[in-house]
Structures are given as C-alpha cells and as structure tokens.
Amino acid sequence: MSLSDIEEPILMAVQSPAVGVRSDVMASVKPLVVFVLGGPGAGKGTQCQKIVEKYGFVHLSAGDLLREERKSGSADGELIENHIKNGQIVPVEITLSLLERSMTQSATKKFLIDGFPRNEDNLSGWNNRMTDKVDFKFVLFFDCSKDTCVNRILERGKTSGRSDDNVESLEKRFVTYWNQTKPIIDHYDAQGKVRKINAEEGPDNVFSAVMQVFQESGL
C-alpha cells in the first residue's frame, strides 16, 4: 500500500464535513430585503431600476404584482381592480402571497420590495408571516412634495395606461398615503431603520444619494 493510498481517504474524510457544512450554511442564508416607500410619484420605480442595474437586486413592486394578478383573470382580479381604482390598499393576504411566491421562485436572494408595507395591516401580516424568513435591512424612503408627485404622475398618465394615473385616483391615493403609509415609515424611523432620500431632484442626483446609502450599509 502506497502513502497516497492512505492519504486519499483521510483527506476525503477531512474535506467532506466541511463541504457539507458550507452547503447547509448557504442553504440557510435568508433573503435580504429592503423596503422602498414614498408617496405616489416619488420616483420609487425609477430608482429601483437603477438599484437593480448597479447592485443586482430583484425589484418586486407590490403594485405591479397586483396589476399582473388582476390581468391574469384570477379569482382575486376584480377585488384588486376595485381597490386600485379607489386608491385603497389590497388585503394583505393577497399581496403577501404574491410577494412570497416571487421571492421563492427567484434565484437571486436580494430584494427591493417597492410599495409595501403600506398600512398597519400590511405590517402586521408581514411580521407574522415573513419576519423569520428574511434579513430585513431598512426602509429606503423617497421624500417628495405632493405638488412634485402630482405633476410627475399626470405626465406619466399620458402614456402609462394605468387606471389610477388620474387626478381623482391621485387624491384618494394621497389620503391613503398620509393616513396609512406615512405612519408605517414613522414606525420604522423610530427604530432607526429608515434611510431618507430627498426625491425632489432629478433621477441622477437622487440616485447619487441612494448609492451613498448602499455604500454606508455595506450593500
């Protein structure tokens, strides 16, 4: 028996547990999550696209997922449509199921969750169902005046085809934002979990501030 015949099984025995441990650790890594919040027209979608391109995150827009579900002809489609048109928040069970399905199906495990949580019900549902499943980092809050947001959305409405890009729906959306979403942002702010971005400027200047946040956060 040669020395190599003895060394090979010993080497395999030493290496195998390490490989197994590494696989288990990798499998147990929780998806990284950043919430993206701000008023209607604050530029969340534009900035999320830039973050995806630079940092490799997956962008999950709660609104887009709901609109896609509405178009799919599912049993929840009509309910979703009525809530969106009236500027109301869709029941959390529906939104959470769409978000969790998208996260599970994605090979990339870094997510920007855009437009969620938008009220106390969303927050409670998320905490009950997802807190232990993800590594939540912070809320990226795009702060923008109502006048700027309205002008942006009405301009977008000329080509977007969205049923809620109009003055009537906008007023309802802003009432919902101030009464229900802003308190959620304040809740996270009290925990030191909000990174506030001045969203009044152009997209490139806003993204410069976003990059600074991501650099400081080690992302």
Side-chain angles (χ1 to χ4, degrees):
M1 179 180 293
S2 68
L3 183 59
S4 61
D5 292 335
I6 297 173
E7 288 177 339
E8 185 173 353
I10 293 176
L11 184 60
M12 290 177 65
V14 171
Q15 287 181 333
S16 295
V19 172
V21 168
R22 184 171 60 187
S23 298
D24 290 343
V25 169
M26 291 178 69
S28 66
V29 172
K30 295 180 179 180
L32 186 154
V33 168
V34 171
F35 289 145
V36 182
L37 293 174
K44 299 185 293 297
T46 298
Q47 294 303 317
C48 282
Q49 183 177 352
K50 290 178 176 291
I51 294 169
V52 167
E53 292 170 357
K54 184 169 181 66
Y55 297 101
F57 276 68
V58 174
H59 176 209
L60 297 180
S61 165
D64 287 348
L65 290 173
L66 289 167
R67 280 184 282 272
E68 290 171 10
E69 186 70 9
R70 176 191 61 188
K71 293 177 183 177
S72 72
S74 75
D76 294 322
E78 185 175 350
L79 182 149
I80 292 171
E81 170 66 9
N82 289 335
H83 277 71
I84 289 177
K85 286 181 66 175
N86 290 308
Q88 298 171 343
I89 297 173
V90 174
V92 67
E93 294 81 8
I94 296 174
T95 308
L96 271 179
S97 65
L98 297 175
L99 287 170
E100 187 170 11
R101 183 176 68 191
S102 296
M103 293 171 72
T104 301
Q105 293 174 347
S106 173
T108 301
K109 297 303 178 183
K110 299 193 300 181
F111 299 97
L112 299 170
I113 299 184
D114 169 11
F116 185 93
R118 293 181 61 203
N119 64 3
E120 182 64 35
D121 187 44
N122 279 184
L123 179 62
S124 298
W126 173 271
N127 288 341
N128 291 335
R129 181 166 171 172
M130 300 298 294
T131 295
D132 295 333
K133 299 179 182 180
V134 303
D135 177 14
F136 168 65
K137 292 299 185 183
F138 54 81
V139 174
L140 193 61
F141 169 41
F142 291 98
D143 189 27
C144 195
S145 70
K146 180 179 177 180
D147 286 346
T148 299
C149 288
V150 169
N151 289 335
R152 288 176 180 173
I153 288 182
L154 293 181
E155 185 63 29
R156 182 180 72 186
K158 295 176 182 178
T159 57
S160 70
R162 284 179 47 169
S163 62
D164 57 342
D165 277 354
N166 58 74
V167 173
E168 184 180 357
S169 291
L170 260 180
E171 286 300 324
K172 295 175 182 177
R173 290 165 66 189
F174 271 105
V175 169
T176 298
Y177 169 70
W178 284 111
N179 291 343
Q180 300 188 49
T181 305
K182 191 57 170 62
I184 301 303
I185 297 169
D186 295 339
H187 164 81
Y188 280 116
D189 195 22
Q191 299 178 1
K193 288 286 190 177
V194 170
R195 306 295 181 266
K196 184 177 177 179
I197 303 291
N198 178 1
E200 292 283 342
E201 300 187 43
D204 290 341
N205 288 338
V206 173
F207 190 57
S208 293
V210 170
M211 288 191 292
Q212 184 174 346
V213 166
F214 274 65
Q215 182 177 355
E216 292 172 351
S217 301
L219 300 179

